[in-house]
Amino acid sequence: METQELRGALALLLLCSFASASQDLQERVCCAPRMEGGELGCGTSRIQEWKEKLPPVSALWEPVIDLLTVGESRQMVAVAEKIRTALLTAGDIYLLSTFRLPPKQGGVLFGLYSRQDNTRWLEASVVGKINKVLVRYQREDGKVHAVNLQQAGLADGRTHTVLLRLRGPSRPSPALHLYVDCKLGDQHAGLPALAPIPPAEVDGLEIRTGQKAYLRMQGFVESMKIILGGSMARVGALSECPFQGDESIHSAGNTETCLLTLDHGSCGLW
């Protein structure tokens, strides 16, 4: 009888020790130095601090599409549908590309067209002879609108990174910003509204890039991505570019940068 009581006491002692160790482990996991000082912060308050530091989940998962990998027809239709939807719903759309052009050369960098009648829904070209980027798109009245973005010395035999930012594509007065090698080069606001692409047109849409044409001119397109939504801070983190000339992105950029690079120390989390 005494042996059974002894075994029961030992089992109870072991159970209590395990529970204590589990609680201690939980506290060690949940506790870490606070950002303001050296004291410990535990439990829900600490978790709340982390939540306040994080941007919305949607801001981290906006679609980023590598346009140079879009090949077969089915894949092109899927990408075209994403772009069509973003033109109706996204706050901003970004075209980010790194390329090289020989002096005074140029051509279409990106275009979204209708195969049936070659309607130019959205197109961006480099005009090397007069150092500008030309953006053309279909207006609501059916006419093509052209926007000349100046200060773009891109056709000089050197590699450049260009960012085209289309602000408010679904709004009555969208805007275009051009960044060359991380610096704001030119911008136009109050532009005519873009025509919405009818859903019935999606199967007949075609995406073209300047990859082959630039190679024929002894140039190249190293990369080309379209980012359907999100902030300039996120685009800057993805491209490792501070984008000088747009001060509004820097305050929001630190948190997103540390999350995208997984550098938690720079986030002030620990």
Side-chain angles (χ1 to χ4, degrees):
M1 188 71 177
E2 292 179 356
T3 303
Q4 291 179 350
E5 291 177 353
L6 180 60
R7 287 178 179 175
L10 288 173
L12 181 61
L13 178 62
L14 181 61
L15 180 62
C16 292
S17 298
F18 179 79
S20 176
S22 298
Q23 183 178 2
D24 180 66
L25 178 60
Q26 184 179 14
E27 289 179 354
R28 287 176 181 272
V29 171
C30 295
C31 296
R34 291 183 183 272
M35 290 165 286
E36 295 83 359
E39 74 273 19
L40 293 179
C42 303
T44 57
S45 62
R46 180 60 181 167
I47 294 172
Q48 184 61 34
E49 285 184 11
W50 285 13
K51 286 182 177 179
E52 291 174 357
K53 294 283 289 182
L54 297 175
V57 173
S58 60
L60 295 175
W61 298 106
E62 300 292 348
V64 179
I65 300 170
D66 186 347
L67 294 172
L68 298 185
T69 64
V70 178
E72 62 181 32
S73 179
R74 184 178 302 177
Q75 183 185 18
M76 186 172 294
V77 169
V79 171
E81 171 60 20
K82 290 180 180 179
I83 296 174
R84 187 194 75 84
T85 302
L87 288 170
L88 293 171
T89 61
D92 291 338
I93 293 178
Y94 310 87
L95 180 68
L96 179 66
S97 182
T98 299
F99 59 87
R100 180 175 65 82
L101 275 171
K104 297 184 178 181
Q105 296 297 315
V108 172
L109 183 64
F110 162 81
L112 180 64
Y113 308 94
S114 171
R115 286 194 183 98
Q116 184 175 1
D117 56 9
N118 209 35
T119 298
R120 185 185 290 108
W121 292 106
L122 182 62
E123 180 189 78
S125 303
V126 177
V127 186
K129 292 182 179 180
I130 52 178
N131 290 327
K132 71 177 182 180
V133 171
L134 177 65
V135 177
R136 292 183 285 191
Y137 62 86
Q138 193 82 1
R139 300 190 325 199
E140 288 184 325
D141 61 5
K143 297 181 180 178
V144 175
H145 187 74
V147 183
N148 292 305
L149 296 162
Q150 307 294 336
Q151 302 179 19
L154 299 172
D156 57 4
R158 296 184 295 177
T159 302
H160 296 282
T161 296
V162 168
L163 174 71
L164 272 173
R165 180 188 190 185
L166 177 57
R167 301 200 66 182
S170 61
R171 298 172 187 167
S173 300
L176 273 169
H177 294 185
L178 170 68
Y179 295 82
V180 177
D181 298 328
C182 306
K183 297 180 181 179
L184 181 62
D186 197 7
Q187 56 185 316
H188 287 264
L191 299 172
L194 283 74
I197 303 174
E201 291 278 346
V202 173
D203 289 343
L205 292 177
E206 181 181 13
I207 297 170
R208 303 174 194 167
T209 70
Q211 188 175 23
K212 294 181 179 179
Y214 283 31
L215 280 173
R216 288 195 294 268
M217 292 181 282
Q218 283 74 52
F220 61 81
V221 178
E222 181 179 302
S223 66
M224 187 184 303
K225 295 179 175 65
I226 190 166
I227 301 135
L228 305 178
S231 66
M232 279 290 289
R234 179 173 182 258
V235 176
L238 289 171
S239 60
E240 299 181 354
C241 210
F243 293 114
Q244 299 174 23
D246 192 340
E247 296 299 328
S248 64
I249 68 174
H250 297 301
S251 60
N254 294 336
T255 301
E256 293 192 31
T257 300
C258 69
L259 287 167
L260 287 165
T261 59
L262 300 181
D263 182 9
H264 298 116
S266 66
C267 302
L269 294 178
W270 52 69

